[in-house]
Amino acid sequence: MHSTITFMKITAVVLAATFGLGACSWSRVTKEAHLKQVGQFNIMGIDKDEAIKRISDAGFTCTEGLYYRKGEVLVISGYVKDSGKMPIVVEKVSCGKRNLELMCPQRRYIDFEYAKADNKVVYMRPWIMEQSCF
């Protein structure tokens, strides 16, 4: 009887550890669900600070960094490479959020760029890193 209880306790501890460390798959989000959530933020064309607020309110952490598009074919507000128009100088903001897994969590990102001239969001790219092991 005593050995059965001990075995059950050990089994419970092993199962709890397994679920606690890596089996939080119920907190993972599909790419479709991530795209739907990002679409609800509706950040294209709005002010950078408002975009950061909307995304941060959903639990994402945002960081900003200077970024210039050099030599890329990109259509932004009518600008096309080699069209004779000046390229738009943009800054990049990257926002990320991880799920509850302790080992190799899923990380979701929303990267967007805004025009330095008027702080309006001109480009957005949502993406997911399924396993971000350390």
Side-chain angles (χ1 to χ4, degrees):
M1 179 70 176
H2 178 68
S3 63
T4 304
I5 293 173
T6 303
F7 176 75
M8 290 174 64
K9 286 181 181 179
I10 291 171
T11 303
V13 168
V14 169
L15 287 174
T18 301
F19 285 115
L21 290 176
C24 294
S25 61
W26 60 83
S27 65
R28 287 183 176 260
V29 174
T30 65
K31 290 179 182 179
E32 292 79 18
H34 181 54
L35 291 174
K36 183 177 179 182
Q37 180 186 28
V38 170
Q40 291 172 347
F41 296 148
N42 197 23
I43 65 169
M44 291 300 295
I46 68 170
D47 185 74
K48 169 206 53 148
D49 294 327
E50 177 61 24
I52 290 173
K53 181 182 179 328
R54 288 181 188 183
I55 295 169
S56 296
D57 286 349
F60 288 80
T61 302
C62 297
T63 56
E64 296 183 56
L66 190 60
Y67 177 76
Y68 296 95
R69 288 207 170 260
K70 294 180 180 175
E72 294 184 40
V73 175
L74 180 67
V75 178
I76 296 179
S77 303
Y79 165 72
V80 180
K81 182 180 177 187
D82 298 327
S83 68
K85 296 182 181 179
M86 293 300 295
I88 297 172
V89 177
V90 295
E91 283 196 33
K92 182 177 182 178
V93 177
S94 183
C95 304
K97 180 180 186 177
R98 58 172 277 179
N99 73 340
L100 301 175
E101 289 181 66
L102 298 177
M103 301 290 288
C104 301
Q106 177 191 56
R107 294 183 189 268
R108 292 176 278 156
Y109 295 94
I110 304 166
D111 295 341
F112 69 88
E113 296 168 5
Y114 64 94
K116 281 200 49 125
D118 62 2
N119 280 347
K120 301 292 183 200
V121 176
V122 295
Y123 177 78
M124 175 186 64
R125 178 181 167 247
W127 58 286
I128 293 178
M129 182 184 298
E130 289 298 335
Q131 301 270 325
S132 58
C133 297
F134 45 110

